[in-house]
Amino acid sequence: MNNGAHDKKCEIWAIGGGKGGTGKSFVTSSIGTHLASKGNKVVLIDADLGGANLHTLLGVSKPRNSLTDFFEKKASLNDIIVNCGMPDIGLVSGTLSSLDSENIKYAQKLKLFRQIKAIDTDYILIDLGAGSHNNTIDTFLLADKMIVVTLPEITALENMYHFIKNVFFRKLKIILSAHGLKDMIQDVWKNRDVHGIKHLKDVVEHLMGTSAHVRDIIENELASFKIYIILNQVRSGREVMIGSSVKSVCLKFLGFDAQYAGHIEYDESVLRCINKRLPFMLTHPFSHVAKEIIKLTENLKDGRQITVTADKYANRRL
Amino acid sequence: MPIEDYKKYFDALELSSDAQLSEVRNSYLHLKSLYSNDSIVTSAIAYELSEEKRHEILEQVEEAYAKLADFFTNKDADTAVSEKPSFVVDEELKQYMSGMQSFSGKMLKEIREKLGVNLKDMAVFTKIRKQYFEDIENERFSALPAEVYLRGYIMEYARYLSLDPEKVANDYIERYRTAR
């Protein structure tokens, strides 16, 4: 196994979002396919241990190896990367035979994270499961780019806000722990009535007010914390704007930076394609959906975001 | 007010400090409607959104837009002054121009080049597309716009070079009519 240092920096992208069925696996496999077609080596990791199906989107019906081998048979992560018919794309399948995914031991989790970081490739894309379980959040925080996929639906947005709030708090907790302030956030939250705290931003403001030291730590964290938003299954020009609105709410109400990486329009042929286990990016390379995925992938690569304006989109039909 | 002081207003409208006026306007309209009305984006996080906070944000957005509108008005005035052409008409050029009977595209181009004026600066200053000036100089009559517009463009061109706008436009339009 290659634990060594590689010259080229490998980027880890994690795709999460809280709610199930928003198209995380579709987006992950499509972004991966595009990156590979541009000459990058890509490894996709299905971290949705309870409901793995990334292999299906890549046209693999029964992966030879999966994370079961890693957790139960002590196989190394590099040895369980399976080929999935496309050159330069490797898959670590998340199909588990018996293991209870919620009960992965802490030491196993750390070992997995270590081995993920050591994979010798250009891009690692991690497809996360639904929910805001700590294991999911920690895997999300492993990434250089944290990406959420959401839909123009209130339930999806609710779950997404919940997810990114938890991610942000978990990150703050980890950072403060590293500075010997382990229980600070819990204490503040427990006594929130005393401090007059109602919202997430109040917690952050309260923490920052406690000392210059804590303030520095948090400001540093806020400056580097960034969430990338992908809006999937968009059906009208008006809905395109929702991505910009979500970005604004993150900035103004949650207090951290979010970037609108791009949107993908609703297209029935996506589902048809998935049911046939065909890779959409290769079978429909000239579709709007494929073009939008290419665009958002390039935006993610460069850390750019799209700017959409009401007058341009409001009355446009997709 | 120096430009750094405007940064917070650009921030309030979620723009970078090099944003254009049109972006400022669009962002203002978007944010105003987002925080004045209920939508799924705000309802989904209603528990984090107090009415005071919403109100406060709307005020900030309004203030930012008002300040930035001023900022752009002043900026336009400043750049217009600083970019005014400055060149010297020397004796040789004076003689060359006095020998002219009627202005053609080719002559205009020669005068402009002798004055060391480039079309890009001219386009920025006059707010007329560079392509039109190129078409005027090369007398690509079929590519040029309708006569009423063309006349305006030529007069701007002449004014920029301190030539007599009426005379240049009349001469040129005559060539244009003959050619068409």
Side-chain angles (χ1 to χ4, degrees):
Chain A
M1 199 191 96
N2 180 14
N3 270 321
H6 11 101
D7 308 338
K8 217 159 53 173
K9 175 85 178 76
C10 162
E11 261 202 39
I12 303 177
W13 295 3
I15 294 97
K19 190 175 179 293
T22 57
K24 289 183 290 295
S25 300
F26 172 71
V27 170
T28 308
S29 63
S30 302
I31 289 179
T33 311
H34 174 62
L35 286 171
S37 77
K38 288 277 158 197
N40 298 291
K41 280 195 291 169
V42 185
V43 172
L44 309 180
I45 300 175
D46 194 347
D48 188 353
L49 302 183
N53 43 29
L54 191 56
H55 57 282
T56 307
L57 285 134
L58 292 162
V60 181
S61 54
K62 203 164 172 277
R64 196 161 27 83
N65 297 97
S66 80
L67 282 170
T68 310
D69 303 310
F70 177 85
F71 288 123
E72 291 180 359
K73 297 177 191 157
K74 312 279 176 242
S76 84
L77 194 61
N78 265 345
D79 294 337
I80 59 166
I81 299 175
V82 297
N83 200 309
C84 49
M86 275 175 275
D88 293 326
I89 301 186
L91 169 72
V92 174
S93 168
T95 47
L96 292 185
S97 45
S98 60
L99 198 97
D100 182 358
S101 60
E102 304 275 284
N103 289 330
I104 292 166
K105 288 197 193 79
Y106 184 67
Q108 285 181 314
K109 189 164 83 175
L110 291 189
K111 188 176 155 205
L112 177 65
F113 288 176
R114 246 190 343 262
Q115 294 201 8
I116 287 176
K117 284 186 189 160
I119 297 175
D120 183 16
T121 186
D122 298 325
Y123 288 94
I124 297 171
L125 307 187
I126 308 176
D127 181 20
L128 293 173
S132 300
H133 189 275
N134 272 352
N135 281 345
T136 308
I137 289 181
D138 286 345
T139 315
F140 196 63
L141 284 169
L142 190 68
D144 300 300
K145 296 222 162 99
M146 301 187 285
I147 303 158
V148 292
V149 178
T150 192
L151 307 178
E153 291 168 14
I154 191 161
T155 45
L157 293 170
E158 258 172 1
N159 290 172
M160 182 215 62
Y161 286 133
H162 184 71
F163 178 71
I164 57 179
K165 265 176 65 180
N166 278 299
V167 168
F168 181 64
F169 262 113
R170 180 99 179 141
K171 183 78 201 254
L172 268 190
K173 217 189 264 178
I174 292 168
I175 294 285
L176 289 172
S177 297
H179 286 81
L181 302 159
K182 198 161 170 280
D183 301 318
M184 202 168 182
I185 294 188
Q186 286 97 313
D187 290 346
V188 170
W189 189 245
K190 239 182 263 163
N191 298 315
R192 60 185 177 277
D193 293 340
V194 184
H195 301 307
I197 287 167
K198 281 200 214 104
H199 307 301
L200 180 119
K201 240 188 152 180
D202 303 336
V203 180
V204 175
E205 270 159 27
H206 180 83
L207 287 169
M208 281 166 84
T210 53
S211 76
H213 177 56
V214 175
R215 185 184 193 89
D216 284 350
I217 296 170
I218 296 178
E219 271 182 351
N220 215 347
E221 191 42 50
L222 277 173
S224 62
F225 191 90
K226 195 180 280 178
I227 298 276
Y228 293 87
I229 303 160
I230 294 174
L231 192 67
N232 194 18
Q233 297 181 13
V234 173
R235 289 163 202 258
S236 71
R238 194 176 287 277
E239 286 183 350
V240 169
M241 295 298 297
I242 287 176
S244 298
S245 301
V246 169
K247 177 198 139 177
S248 175
V249 168
C250 286
L251 235 102
K252 288 190 165 33
F253 287 89
L254 304 178
F256 53 77
D257 195 8
Q259 302 242 316
Y260 189 12
H263 49 85
I264 304 166
E265 72 169 49
Y266 180 80
D267 184 345
E268 282 176 4
S269 58
V270 171
L271 183 61
R272 251 180 279 138
C273 203
I274 293 171
N275 284 338
K276 285 185 198 152
R277 276 188 277 150
L278 295 169
F280 185 85
M281 293 298 279
L282 302 183
T283 53
H284 296 71
F286 303 113
S287 61
H288 279 194
V289 170
K291 282 180 192 153
E292 285 162 340
I293 286 166
I294 291 169
K295 202 170 139 201
L296 69 88
T297 306
E298 296 298 321
N299 285 344
L300 287 167
K301 254 167 78 181
D302 304 338
R304 239 183 300 122
Q305 66 176 332
I306 55 163
T307 43
V308 288
T309 52
D311 60 338
K312 191 169 152 204
Y313 277 99
N315 301 310
R316 205 191 74 169
R317 287 205 52 194
L318 288 175
Chain B
M1 200 169 4
I3 184 152
E4 303 83 61
D5 294 352
Y6 285 98
K7 194 179 173 297
K8 67 171 176 184
Y9 300 123
F10 282 109
D11 283 348
L13 295 182
E14 297 163 18
L15 294 165
S16 64
S17 303
D18 58 359
Q20 301 296 304
L21 180 59
S22 59
E23 296 171 75
V24 168
R25 207 170 281 140
N26 284 324
S27 190
Y28 162 71
L29 291 173
H30 172 229
L31 293 175
K32 193 177 160 173
S33 116
L34 173 62
Y35 294 109
S36 311
N37 309 304
D38 276 327
S39 70
I40 58 169
V41 178
T42 47
S43 313
I45 195 158
Y47 55 91
E48 288 283 349
L49 277 162
S50 66
E51 271 315 303
E52 310 106 88
K53 188 77 204 180
R54 202 191 262 256
H55 192 72
E56 194 183 301
I57 288 188
L58 279 170
E59 274 181 354
Q60 281 166 2
V61 167
E62 287 291 345
E63 189 198 358
Y65 182 61
K67 295 281 185 198
L68 289 176
D70 286 351
F71 169 75
F72 279 98
T73 318
N74 297 334
K75 194 174 139 196
D76 282 354
D78 288 352
T79 49
V81 173
S82 68
E83 281 172 17
K84 246 177 194 147
S86 66
F87 43 73
V88 201
V89 184
D90 60 16
E91 281 307 310
E92 191 197 345
L93 190 60
K94 253 184 210 159
Q95 248 175 7
Y96 172 78
M97 289 200 299
S98 64
M100 271 179 197
Q101 296 302 311
S102 168
F103 286 96
S104 69
K106 190 162 161 276
M107 284 174 192
L108 288 171
K109 188 176 178 180
E110 269 179 47
I111 296 169
R112 177 180 63 77
E113 284 172 348
K114 281 198 163 74
L115 289 169
V117 170
N118 75 53
L119 282 183
K120 211 175 140 215
D121 291 346
M122 209 154 133
V124 171
F125 183 81
T126 57
K127 299 196 171 75
I128 294 168
R129 267 166 54 196
K130 187 172 148 230
Q131 184 62 49
Y132 286 133
F133 290 143
E134 276 169 10
D135 290 342
I136 288 171
E137 288 184 345
N138 297 322
E139 301 196 341
R140 273 194 293 270
F141 294 128
S142 58
L144 287 167
E147 198 182 299
V148 279
Y149 300 110
L150 177 63
R151 191 173 185 89
Y153 296 167
I154 295 167
M155 286 175 80
E156 282 298 325
Y157 185 112
R159 226 171 261 137
Y160 192 92
L161 298 182
S162 306
L163 304 171
D164 176 3
E166 287 293 335
K167 160 101 174 100
V168 174
N170 288 340
D171 287 357
Y172 194 92
I173 296 287
E174 207 181 300
R175 293 177 66 81
Y176 172 81
R177 282 185 187 152
T178 323
R180 285 192 70 120

